[in-house]
Amino acid sequence: MNPSTLPNNKQIIIERQNFQRLLDVLKNQGYQLRGPTVREGAIVYDEINLVKDLPEGWTDVQDKASYRLQKRDDKALFGYVVGPHSWKKFLHPPVLKLWEAKRCEDGFEIKEKVAFTPQYAFIGVRSCELHAIAIQDKVFIEGPYVDTTYKNRREKIFVVAINCGEAGETCFCTSMNTGPQVSFGFDLALTEVIQPDRHYFVVMIGSAKGHDVIKEIPHTKASNQEISIAQSKVEQAREEMGRTMDTSDIKNLLYRNHDHTQWDKVAERCLSCGNCTMVCPTCFCTTVEDVTDLTGEETTRVRKWDSCFTMDFSYLHGGSVRTSVKSRYRQWMTHKLATWIDQFDTSGCVGCGRCISWCPVGIDITEEVAIIQEDKAKEKNDENA
Ligand code: SF4
Ligand code: SF4
């Protein structure tokens, strides 16, 4: 097909050998590429430039407190689920300099902040991650207070999404209605198909920007058979989902169970380390620190990711409000699954499973909910007896 006549609403095929061209076109359009790559035994999101930077032939095996990379028996570029990083580190940076001040004769003067907004192309965004970005949009852009750093970065991104062809042991996106099929928020959405004699991507175009990129890449129109093969990959992921969560009435369930004995039990195991909040793609809390140089001449104010698991996080005049681990775990889970709904009209959990894999003691949010749900079932049985 002549690239310039590409119809906007059709699915197309890009062969694996032309995938580098996609990266090159995006780079030529001024994007900094960020995507999956292998580092220190994990698949992390970082700068990429070449197909060889991608985790070709690797997969991840995950469970409670467990994450391992393993070689695949094919050369899939996106044959893993999700690692410890999420795209929030690019849109909502872990450390952000807010301003600098320098001592002067009359006191101090604020140095002019040089605004720089990187233009990222995200390569390999999962459906649950697009939902997580949409949740952070509600927090940072759609509320009464707009975070300009987030907004400026967000407006410039180009999203190459990837439909999941496999689900992880810790995934439960189907329970949260966030996957595994990409449904919005992308410029291009890919499904990777590997056959004994062929490796290709079925591509759906989601925007005019996506259309302009595809025009530069060799492609063919997808046949009905190729589209149906891609669809069956996503169905396979849906059926393989490692975990589930019953979200019916979850908000009221958690509100009713503020004093449930399970909070004490989870507190016996929880280290209050905050890992779950760091890896979560929707957690957004920050703190602010002033860092002064040793001479006392210059100071910098930085914003850093914070966690509701620290004592300082709930420090008000006179001390912390949530002094026990129990109160901090309950705050985190109740915020994710209940108060978030009141606050932002959405759950704060997309079912990515990161907090399960990266909790050092294997606390599993789906199990914690299920235990409280079990008591609800007992309550009902008692009422009917
Ligand atoms: S639930 Fe796990 S990851 Fe989260 S603070 Fe407790 S020990 Fe750390
Ligand atoms: S709470 Fe856990 S499963 Fe839910 S979005 Fe955050 S990290 Fe993922």
Side-chain angles (χ1 to χ4, degrees):
M1 174 181 277
N2 175 350
S4 61
T5 60
L6 180 74
N8 208 355
N9 56 349
K10 292 281 188 291
Q11 297 194 50
I12 56 119
I13 300 291
I14 297 178
E15 300 293 336
R16 157 68 182 83
Q17 62 266 28
N18 293 320
F19 198 82
Q20 181 62 48
R21 181 81 189 130
L22 170 62
L23 304 184
D24 293 342
V25 170
L26 287 167
K27 280 195 78 173
N28 290 342
Q29 291 193 359
Y31 289 102
Q32 297 180 36
L33 308 188
R34 295 293 179 268
T37 194
V38 174
R39 201 174 66 216
E40 294 170 28
I43 291 170
V44 296
Y45 296 150
D46 208 337
E47 180 177 350
I48 59 163
N49 290 295
L50 302 169
V51 169
K52 74 176 174 56
D53 297 330
L54 296 170
E56 183 177 48
W58 287 102
T59 192
D60 47 11
V61 182
Q62 305 194 44
D63 210 334
K64 283 197 279 187
S66 168
Y67 176 98
R68 296 283 178 274
L69 289 190
Q70 201 166 281
K71 270 291 188 189
R72 299 173 59 90
D73 54 13
D74 61 25
K75 294 197 166 178
L77 300 181
F78 299 96
Y80 56 88
V81 188
V82 288
H85 288 185
S86 66
W87 305 99
K88 83 173 175 183
K89 74 176 199 163
F90 302 112
L91 298 174
H92 174 50
V95 180
L96 180 71
K97 188 188 288 184
L98 298 177
W99 49 261
E100 287 174 290
K102 195 171 169 38
R103 192 187 291 276
C104 62
E105 271 181 21
D106 307 330
F108 67 90
E109 61 185 13
I110 305 285
K111 284 196 200 168
E112 202 63 43
K113 189 179 154 196
V114 183
F116 168 72
T117 304
Q119 179 175 288
Y120 291 127
F122 294 164
I123 312 296
V125 185
R126 305 282 171 183
S127 178
C128 63
E129 299 183 306
L130 284 172
H131 281 264
I133 292 171
I135 289 172
Q136 290 214 318
D137 287 350
K138 284 180 181 268
V139 176
F140 291 128
I141 302 179
E142 293 164 21
Y145 305 104
V146 173
D147 182 311
T148 50
T149 299
Y150 180 93
K151 181 171 184 279
N152 293 342
R153 289 173 177 228
R154 174 75 173 97
E155 283 172 352
K156 287 185 163 196
I157 58 170
F158 187 100
V159 174
V160 179
I162 184 93
N163 284 309
C164 292
E166 294 163 23
E169 196 52 45
T170 47
C171 294
F172 56 103
C173 64
T174 45
S175 299
M176 309 311 287
N177 290 323
T178 58
Q181 177 145 29
V182 170
S183 55
F184 69 96
F186 59 89
D187 296 294
L188 300 173
L190 278 50
T191 309
E192 185 170 27
V193 180
I194 301 178
Q195 295 169 328
D197 53 351
R198 194 177 164 210
H199 185 171
Y200 62 96
F201 295 88
V202 179
V203 182
M204 185 175 277
I205 300 164
S207 70
K209 281 193 297 181
H211 185 252
D212 289 345
V213 166
I214 289 296
K215 281 196 294 189
E216 308 289 322
I217 303 167
H219 61 270
T220 52
K221 183 182 166 200
S223 66
N224 287 342
Q225 192 192 11
E226 286 163 332
I227 292 170
S228 128
I229 290 170
Q231 193 57 41
S232 68
K233 305 275 303 166
V234 180
E235 289 315 313
Q236 186 181 327
R238 204 183 296 281
E239 280 161 26
E240 280 176 0
M241 207 59 47
R243 277 165 166 73
T244 56
M245 182 188 282
D246 178 2
T247 57
S248 56
D249 195 35
I250 194 158
K251 183 177 95 171
N252 293 323
L253 176 85
L254 291 174
Y255 285 164
R256 277 201 310 276
N257 284 285
H258 186 262
D259 295 320
H260 198 283
T261 53
Q262 187 58 22
W263 303 121
D264 292 297
K265 290 183 188 155
V266 76
E268 286 169 13
R269 291 177 291 145
C270 176
L271 307 173
S272 204
C273 65
N275 265 16
C276 46
T277 54
M278 295 296 115
V279 295
C280 180
T282 66
C283 279
F284 58 84
C285 291
T286 52
T287 188
V288 171
E289 280 179 12
D290 289 340
V291 183
T292 310
D293 73 354
L294 289 176
T295 64
E297 291 298 311
E298 290 192 11
T299 191
T300 306
R301 175 159 290 187
V302 290
R303 189 183 77 183
K304 291 178 164 178
W305 286 359
D306 201 356
S307 169
C308 51
F309 280 93
T310 70
M311 283 280 276
D312 278 356
F313 186 77
S314 68
Y315 189 93
L316 301 177
H317 171 74
S320 291
V321 173
R322 288 186 284 271
T323 52
S324 67
V325 174
K326 168 186 171 179
S327 64
R328 296 201 284 278
Y329 186 86
R330 180 177 56 200
Q331 150 66 24
W332 177 69
M333 197 172 105
T334 307
H335 189 208
K336 280 277 145 211
L337 300 172
T339 51
W340 209 297
I341 297 171
D342 286 333
Q343 207 176 355
F344 301 113
D345 202 23
T346 173
S347 170
C349 175
V350 296
C352 71
R354 286 179 175 90
C355 58
I356 302 170
S357 302
W358 295 95
C359 172
V361 294
I363 293 171
D364 177 342
I365 190 171
T366 64
E367 279 181 6
E368 296 306 316
V369 169
I371 290 167
I372 297 174
Q373 293 274 14
E374 266 174 36
D375 280 5
K376 176 181 146 191
K378 274 190 215 143
E379 273 170 28
K380 277 208 171 138
N381 287 340
D382 291 347
E383 276 169 23
N384 296 336

